[in-house]
Amino acid sequence: MKVLVPVKRVIDYNVKVRVKADNSGVELANVKMAMNPFDEIAVEQALRLKEASGAEEVVVVSIGPAQNQETIRTALAMGADRGIHIEASHDIEPLAVAKLLKAVVERETPGLVLVGKQAIDDDCNQTGQMLAALLGWAQGTFVSALEVAGDKAKIVREVDGGLEHLEIQMPAIVSVDLRLNEPRYASLPNIMKAKKKPLDSLTVDELGVDINPRLTIVKVEEPAAREAGIKVADVKELVEKLKNEAKVI
Ligand code: AMP
């Protein structure tokens, strides 16, 4: 079985995101970028499947500007076998990503697609679900445990009320959650080896997909600054303030 892992290049989670002066988006110039953390978990899970002889090949795909090839190389350094880069602008929307991924799935015919549950830049949480719908495949979202056995996969989903255990038919789309695993670091020899691993480039035109935006960003704003809190001397004062100042009781 081949496992396909779409990996997105996003602003590094340690960076304080700054809104552009004209409120049209967030500042990307000279900002440290990295692989979406949920996608690192997806790559790790694909590698574990391969190591347990559950997968023969791990292919990573990234859609975005030329710099996305660095993100693909990071996944190759973790241990993925091959990369595919599809050149597009940074702001490509989930539906367009899902359509491009569908075209890649039709070429590559993987048995499993492991996506991140969401990209930490747009927080859309849509691509995996849209891809499953476009392909007509089974999907398991927010997965915190995964076991593949033949043409079925046993998954555990994190839902509000606890954990949901499901069995899904392969081929399937699985979106991975935080607790699935802890991704490995790439070792220096593997970073060197990754430079020689195959990385193909495809264009949007070759895949025949319309990626024109369907959404308009009206305005991007910083969250409102929180007012400083105060300390109260005792419960009596707290109750008095809640009643007369905050007027919540
Ligand atoms: P989103 O729906 O934008 O929250 O993204 C969910 C997941 O879809 C990500 O964790 C990635 O696995 C995948 N994905 C989204 N955008 C891209 C992209 N531009 N290139 C590759 N994979 C992507």
Side-chain angles (χ1 to χ4, degrees):
M1 179 180 70
K2 190 190 283 185
V3 183
L4 186 73
V5 189
V7 295
K8 188 173 186 187
R9 182 177 168 88
V10 297
I11 295 182
D12 187 286
Y13 72 95
N14 291 305
V15 171
K16 162 118 178 56
V17 177
R18 254 184 279 276
V19 172
K20 281 186 187 165
D22 64 359
N23 295 98
S24 63
V26 298
E27 214 45 87
L28 290 179
N30 301 320
V31 171
K32 184 168 183 256
M33 307 288 279
M35 192 191 306
N36 181 40
F38 291 107
D39 301 351
E40 285 184 355
I41 296 171
V43 172
E44 175 65 37
Q45 198 61 29
L47 298 176
R48 289 187 190 189
L49 273 172
K50 189 179 170 192
E51 284 157 3
S53 311
E56 282 105 46
E57 194 184 23
V58 176
V59 181
V60 291
V61 52
S62 192
I63 302 158
Q67 296 91 321
N68 281 39
Q69 294 195 4
E70 289 166 26
T71 313
I72 295 175
R73 291 279 173 215
T74 305
L76 297 177
M78 285 172 75
D81 299 293
R82 187 155 64 79
I84 301 170
H85 174 230
I86 304 170
E87 180 92 34
S89 81
H90 176 81
D91 301 320
I92 183 159
E93 291 171 5
L95 181 59
V97 172
K99 286 180 180 170
L100 289 168
L101 291 177
K102 176 178 183 263
V104 173
V105 165
E106 281 161 357
R107 286 176 170 226
E108 294 285 337
T109 60
L112 176 67
V113 181
L114 284 173
V115 294
K117 81 161 176 182
Q118 71 191 57
I120 62 161
D121 52 359
D122 56 21
D123 278 343
C124 276
N125 176 4
Q126 295 172 1
T127 308
Q129 294 88 328
M130 286 176 168
L131 178 60
L134 290 173
L135 288 166
W137 285 12
Q139 63 174 312
T141 50
F142 320 136
V143 164
S144 59
L146 168 70
E147 202 185 300
V148 178
D151 64 348
K152 299 270 192 312
K154 285 189 178 146
I155 56 166
V156 181
R157 302 185 60 232
E158 298 199 350
V159 292
D160 281 351
L163 297 176
E164 186 178 44
H165 294 250
L166 294 175
E167 192 175 73
I168 55 172
Q169 180 69 40
M170 307 276 275
I173 312 290
V174 168
S175 85
V176 307
D177 214 329
L178 207 58
R179 274 163 286 275
L180 182 60
N181 63 48
E182 211 168 293
R184 69 195 65 187
Y185 290 104
S187 66
L188 192 57
N190 285 349
I191 294 173
M192 301 313 288
K193 268 192 227 157
K195 292 184 202 278
K196 296 206 178 91
K197 289 188 179 175
L199 200 174
D200 295 330
S201 290
L202 289 173
T203 63
V204 170
D205 286 348
E206 260 176 280
L207 296 171
V209 173
D210 169 13
I211 62 162
N212 281 321
R214 289 159 189 249
L215 306 172
T216 310
I217 294 177
V218 181
K219 197 176 185 189
V220 177
E221 286 180 315
E222 295 265 3
R226 284 180 61 182
E227 280 181 32
I230 55 158
K231 272 190 179 169
V232 290
D234 50 28
V235 174
K236 195 164 158 257
E237 191 189 346
L238 175 65
V239 172
E240 189 272 319
K241 286 198 182 297
L242 289 174
K243 208 180 250 172
N244 301 322
E245 283 182 26
K247 296 193 183 359
V248 290
I249 54 170

